[in-house]
Amino acid sequence: MPRVLAVDEDPDALTAALENAARNGVAARVTCRLADAAALEEPPPPHLHANLLTAAHRRLAPWYAR
C-alpha cells in the first residue's frame, strides 16, 4: 500500500492534514512531519505533490532537482 509523507512548517497545517487523513480513512498510511522540506534527508519520492505559493516553490527548487 502506498505511503504518504506530509511535511509542513505550520503545525496547524499538519493538524488539518492528520484530521483529513482520518476523515478519509487513510490515516494509517500518512506520516506528518513538522519540518523544513528543503532540509529533509529522505530518498527521492516517486511522486511529489506540493500545494505551495510560488515563493516556496522557488526556495525548494534545488531540493526538487535532487
Side-chain angles (χ1 to χ4, degrees), residues 1-48:
M1 238 247 186
R3 303 248 342 127
V4 173
L5 173 60
V7 179
D8 205 299
E9 297 171 3
D10 178 355
D12 292 332
L14 291 180
T15 298
L18 287 169
E19 289 171 355
N20 285 331
R23 191 174 11 255
N24 288 288
V26 296
R29 298 186 325 198
V30 177
T31 300
C32 291
R33 262 194 223 160
L34 185 64
D36 175 0
L40 284 179
E41 295 294 330
E42 295 289 330
H47 302 284
L48 174 69

